[in-house]
Amino acid sequence: MPGLAVDVIDIDDPQDPRVEDFRDLNSVDRRPDLPVLPGGRPGRGLVIAEGVLVAQRMIASRFEPHAFLGVDKRLGELDDDLRDPSLAGVPFFRTSAEVMAEIVGFHLNRGVLAVARRPPLLSVEEVIADATTVAILEGVNDHENIGSIFRNAAGLGVDAVLFGQGCADPLYRRCVRVSMGHALLVPFAKFEQWPHGLDELRSRGFRLVSLTPDPSAVTLAEAVDAEKIGFLVGAEGPGLTRSAMAASDVRARIPMSRGTDSLNVATAAAVAFYERVRSGTMGE
């Protein structure tokens, strides 16, 4: 395809060493997206984007792809994106669905992968510099929940996601996939000290709102009218720790019915994000 910035390289042998970064994506012992392998061995910690849409979002992000692997059909669907000058010389390994399945370890319906190395982590100070609404996670260790929170954050105008203790890696392959690539676009950072790092947000004018099913808490609608809001959400089941709850400014609940006491954490976060939008105070 004339005009592509990438170099298209045909791969017929699944053992070709040039596609090593895409190999064994389901293997607990060898997965390339794991920064630490079982037993404490260092991993490669690569960032894997699956499918055309997620690959497009990787190209648009600060996560610079250094290789692609895919079938010819997906190469065609990415034609415009692969003309980006920033991709000059990046290999696109073109192969068949059968060879691709042998490389990655399963049949990939999405038909294309992109891979990037992890750039330096952003700091909390960097990601909140111009933010007015942020999500703050504690103990959320389910990859699908984290991916869903990123997708909800992107769709509902949340500026950043911040991680307290006990959270799973937002750059695991499943997180990136479930987020539809928004884990690569919505800025995120990890607190160096938890929950004391929340003081930095408070000093910058954020009202810290912890979500809880406690019936004595104010309703969510009563808590979101500040110029800057940080929503704290905790793990499924235990929720936020006492120390995180104590570090917040206000505890808020989502009114529930039919004997249900709480929602899935990603759903609860989405409700909070939407209530913030509906209040009309976001971005004021």
Side-chain angles (χ1 to χ4, degrees), residues 2-273:
L4 292 182
V6 296
D7 292 337
V8 179
I9 300 170
D10 288 316
I11 298 290
D12 300 317
D13 180 3
Q15 300 307 315
D16 193 311
R18 292 176 292 181
V19 295
E20 197 64 25
D21 284 348
F22 302 98
R23 196 176 304 286
D24 300 324
L25 296 188
N26 269 355
S27 170
V28 174
D29 294 328
R30 296 185 296 276
R31 270 176 45 194
D33 62 325
L34 296 177
V36 180
L37 297 173
R41 294 173 295 137
R44 279 180 280 175
L46 300 175
V47 184
I48 307 288
E50 297 179 44
V52 170
L53 181 58
V54 182
Q56 289 171 326
R57 288 178 174 153
M58 176 177 275
I59 294 168
S61 77
R62 70 188 189 96
F63 295 84
E64 301 175 1
H66 64 263
F68 298 84
L69 173 70
V71 299
D72 189 64
K73 180 180 179 181
R74 302 304 185 225
L75 174 62
E77 292 172 354
L78 284 167
D79 181 90
D80 290 341
D81 305 277
L82 298 178
R83 297 175 186 274
D84 190 316
S86 69
L87 298 175
V90 171
F92 187 107
F93 297 115
R94 179 171 55 186
T95 190
S96 67
E98 294 73 23
V99 171
M100 189 173 183
E102 288 193 56
I103 294 168
V104 304
F106 58 94
H107 179 71
L108 189 78
N109 291 329
R110 295 170 183 84
V112 66
L113 296 164
V115 62
R117 297 179 182 88
R118 297 186 182 214
L121 291 175
L122 299 175
S123 68
V124 170
E125 182 178 5
E126 287 175 301
V127 303
I128 68 171
D130 299 312
T132 58
T133 307
V134 300
I136 304 166
L137 281 55
E138 181 192 46
V140 181
N141 56 15
D142 181 270
H143 301 134
E144 293 193 6
N145 280 334
I146 291 178
S148 294
I149 288 171
F150 269 101
R151 187 175 181 183
N152 295 338
L156 292 167
V158 172
D159 300 302
V161 177
L162 303 176
F163 290 92
Q165 66 184 10
C167 293
D169 185 349
L171 296 179
Y172 278 8
R173 181 170 63 91
R174 185 180 298 174
C175 288
V176 175
R177 183 181 73 234
V178 173
S179 78
M180 297 301 293
H182 288 297
L184 308 177
L185 293 172
V186 177
F188 65 86
K190 184 176 181 180
F191 288 101
E192 293 185 6
Q193 295 183 315
W194 180 259
H196 306 295
L198 292 170
D199 291 338
E200 182 175 353
L201 274 75
R202 188 177 290 106
S203 71
R204 291 174 177 263
F206 281 86
R207 176 189 291 173
L208 302 178
V209 179
S210 57
L211 299 191
T212 174
D214 189 338
S216 68
V218 303
T219 63
L220 187 58
E222 299 174 78
V224 297
D225 58 347
E227 181 181 352
K228 296 182 178 182
I229 292 283
F231 290 112
L232 281 75
V233 297
E236 297 283 340
L240 293 165
T241 60
R242 289 183 180 181
S243 59
M245 198 82 73
S248 64
D249 299 309
V250 60
R251 298 180 306 139
R253 60 183 171 85
I254 298 169
M256 306 295 294
S257 64
R258 297 182 180 177
T260 302
D261 66 346
S262 62
L263 301 172
N264 164 274
V265 63
T267 304
V271 171
F273 303 160

